[in-house]
Amino acid sequence: MTNNNNNSERQFETLHEEGDVSFLGYVYPSPNEILGNASRTELYRCRTCLSLTRFPRYNKALWVTTNRRGRCGEYSMLLYRMLRALGYEKVRWVVDWADHVWAEVWLGEELVVNGNGYDSGRGRGSRGGRWVHLDPCEAAVDNPLLYESWGKNQTYIIAFYVPSCLGDKAGRSGPSPKTNSIPKNWKAAERLVHESLGVAPQTRHQATSTMVEEDSVNNDSFPPIEDVTHRYTSDGIDVIEERRGIPGHRVEQAVHEVSNLLVGSLRNVIDM
């Protein structure tokens, strides 16, 4: 599980410590919980009767809806699946490394890729379409500065998108049962992005070349992974870089490298 989910869980556990339930820790999912792609299971104890309650973190939509329990991870995954089921093919999952996750849906005409790479505006494409922020936990629609209003200093916000050419293989109506393990690949990609920040920097020319080459591979107008931090804050790029303490080109290089790995991983899932 990502660091941002760990932070969110610690806040959730603190609230429970102040109530009638104590958080005991994490345990390995049971065989039945693994069927719902549970990443791990949280264990709680009632302070009154001392009974134990398991809270498996499911990654399958049907299991989440059946158990009717979750936090931002489950809610955002459900929203993603619902949008795909409704025919919205251009949907992506957005991770705030600090403490939250949500979704975005592309509305309007498709983005055009030019010699400078993908659009880097605040969600707007060169033909008027744009990514729209959707947060099911906060019932928020198209309010990207919501988190800044909470006093948050945005540092790393990364969007993950399944290229449509891979989605075509799984069926135009939405992900097939074979794609149920895609969230696992997202988690692996998140970890790789973080680890890749320590590698030697790549020149901007090399990074752009990788980006264009990747576009020819996935035949889509959107990158599989994109740093969208600037879209969720009024701070400038220089302020974001200073907050990170890492040059922008190193983050850019890490994102491009992991994008290639993610596309390969997703293809392996589709071809299973």
Side-chain angles (χ1 to χ4, degrees):
M1 189 164 290
T2 59
N3 290 336
N4 61 292
N5 282 336
N6 287 335
N7 292 337
S8 180
E9 286 161 7
R10 281 194 290 271
Q11 296 170 4
F12 182 82
E13 293 148 13
T14 299
L15 292 175
H16 278 70
E17 289 290 348
E18 297 172 352
D20 297 326
V21 179
S22 296
F23 174 72
L24 300 181
Y26 302 101
V27 296
Y28 193 76
S30 68
N32 186 60
E33 292 166 348
I34 290 176
L35 293 177
N37 279 355
S39 55
R40 59 181 171 181
T41 297
E42 300 171 11
L43 196 61
Y44 295 88
R45 181 173 60 193
C46 175
R47 291 181 174 178
T48 302
C49 66
L50 302 182
S51 62
L52 298 177
T53 298
R54 297 173 67 91
F55 178 25
R57 306 305 304 274
Y58 292 125
N59 284 295
K60 282 188 177 180
L62 180 60
W63 286 66
V64 174
T65 55
T66 299
N67 286 272
R68 303 173 67 88
R69 288 196 297 178
R71 293 200 289 276
C72 59
E74 288 84 0
Y75 294 152
S76 60
M77 181 270 291
L78 273 181
L79 177 60
Y80 175 90
R81 294 292 190 185
M82 289 177 180
L83 288 168
R84 289 294 298 269
L86 289 170
Y88 292 93
E89 295 183 357
K90 293 177 173 58
V91 184
R92 61 186 184 181
W93 196 56
V94 185
V95 180
D96 177 353
W97 242 252
D99 58 6
H100 201 33
V101 291
W102 57 87
E104 288 182 340
V105 61
W106 179 266
L107 298 179
E109 297 182 60
E110 291 192 20
L111 178 69
V112 175
V113 179
N114 53 38
N116 296 322
Y118 298 101
D119 167 63
S120 59
R122 293 185 182 273
R124 295 191 176 277
S126 56
R127 285 188 180 178
R130 64 190 180 101
W131 288 107
V132 177
H133 158 250
L134 300 172
D135 187 333
C137 289
E138 303 299 326
V141 177
D142 201 15
N143 186 13
L145 298 184
L146 169 67
Y147 316 110
E148 185 177 70
S149 70
W150 296 351
K152 296 181 64 174
N153 293 321
Q154 308 292 30
T155 305
Y156 288 104
I157 300 179
I158 308 296
F160 295 86
Y161 172 72
V162 180
S164 63
C165 66
L166 298 179
D168 289 343
K169 296 180 182 179
R172 300 297 293 183
S173 61
S176 71
K178 292 183 180 180
T179 63
N180 282 335
S181 58
I182 284 179
K184 295 181 180 179
N185 291 299
W186 279 340
K187 291 171 187 172
E190 294 173 43
R191 174 177 51 79
L192 288 168
V193 168
H194 182 72
E195 293 175 352
S196 297
L197 294 179
V199 301
Q202 187 180 42
T203 66
R204 180 170 297 275
H205 172 72
Q206 290 172 317
T208 301
S209 298
T210 303
M211 185 190 307
V212 174
E213 179 181 354
E214 177 56 36
D215 180 64
S216 65
V217 170
N218 64 40
N219 192 31
D220 207 319
S221 299
F222 306 101
I225 303 176
E226 184 181 1
D227 179 3
V228 296
T229 308
H230 63 286
R231 297 179 186 170
Y232 288 91
T233 177
S234 58
D235 295 330
I237 298 296
D238 54 337
V239 175
I240 296 174
E241 287 194 13
E242 182 179 1
R243 186 178 298 143
R244 290 171 171 175
I246 299 176
H249 62 268
R250 289 182 61 185
V251 176
E252 186 178 86
Q253 182 218 359
V255 168
H256 293 320
E257 287 185 354
V258 178
S259 292
N260 290 329
L261 293 174
L262 180 60
V263 169
S265 180
L266 289 173
R267 279 180 171 161
N268 290 336
V269 171
I270 299 298
D271 293 339
M272 287 175 58

